[in-house]
Amino acid sequence: MASKMTKRLEGKTIVVTGASSALEFARTSPKNLKLVLTARRLEFLKVLASEIQEEMGPGVQVLPVKLDVSKPDEVRGFVDSLPPEFKDIDILVNNAYVMTAEARGIDNKLISERVEVLLRGSQKRRAF
């Protein structure tokens, strides 16, 4: 029996930024779901997409896309670069985040940069 969340997601297209870190909700996906997984590491996304496809079957379409949300030009061209069947986006999960060893030294400029990516993607974004 399908859960309420599963029913609400059925037929939706979801874009997930920073998808190379973790993506467990896809494993509870309904039929007819389209996932656009984005991150800077395309090779990892391809492996993740394959795992999701194997586990969920043909009811879930997965499209791995290299995207760095901290680069305004990449964000601006993102939706237009998608295949037509993935362009009608219903949900955006902004999971993109970068934390490096330098941040442990409490460098305020670096922390501000990371928070900016987390909260806004790119400062000049207008892609969605």
Side-chain angles (χ1 to χ4, degrees), residues 6-45:
T6 299
K7 288 179 181 177
R8 285 194 312 252
L9 291 176
E10 192 166 319
K12 302 294 185 195
T13 299
I14 301 172
V15 171
V16 181
T17 67
S20 62
S21 297
L23 189 64
E24 289 303 316
F25 78 88
R27 289 174 165 81
T28 62
S29 298
K31 302 174 204 165
N32 191 26
L33 179 72
K34 296 181 201 107
L35 292 173
V36 180
L37 308 179
T38 73
R40 294 174 297 158
R41 298 178 290 171
L42 185 59
E43 290 308 313
F44 184 85
L45 288 177

Side-chain angles (χ1 to χ4, degrees), residues 57-85:
V60 178
Q61 296 178 52
V62 185
L63 177 67
V65 178
K66 183 181 182 307
L67 176 67
D68 185 343
V69 297
S70 71
K71 296 182 178 177
D73 289 339
E74 285 188 30
V75 173
R76 271 197 281 299
F78 171 68
V79 174
D80 288 338
S81 74
L82 296 174
E85 64 272 20

Side-chain angles (χ1 to χ4, degrees), residues 78-98:
F78 171 68
V79 174
D80 288 338
S81 74
L82 296 174
E85 64 272 20
F86 286 91
K87 286 186 179 185
D88 188 16
I89 298 166
D90 298 293
I91 300 168
L92 169 65
V93 179
N94 185 15
N95 189 48
Y97 188 69
V98 177

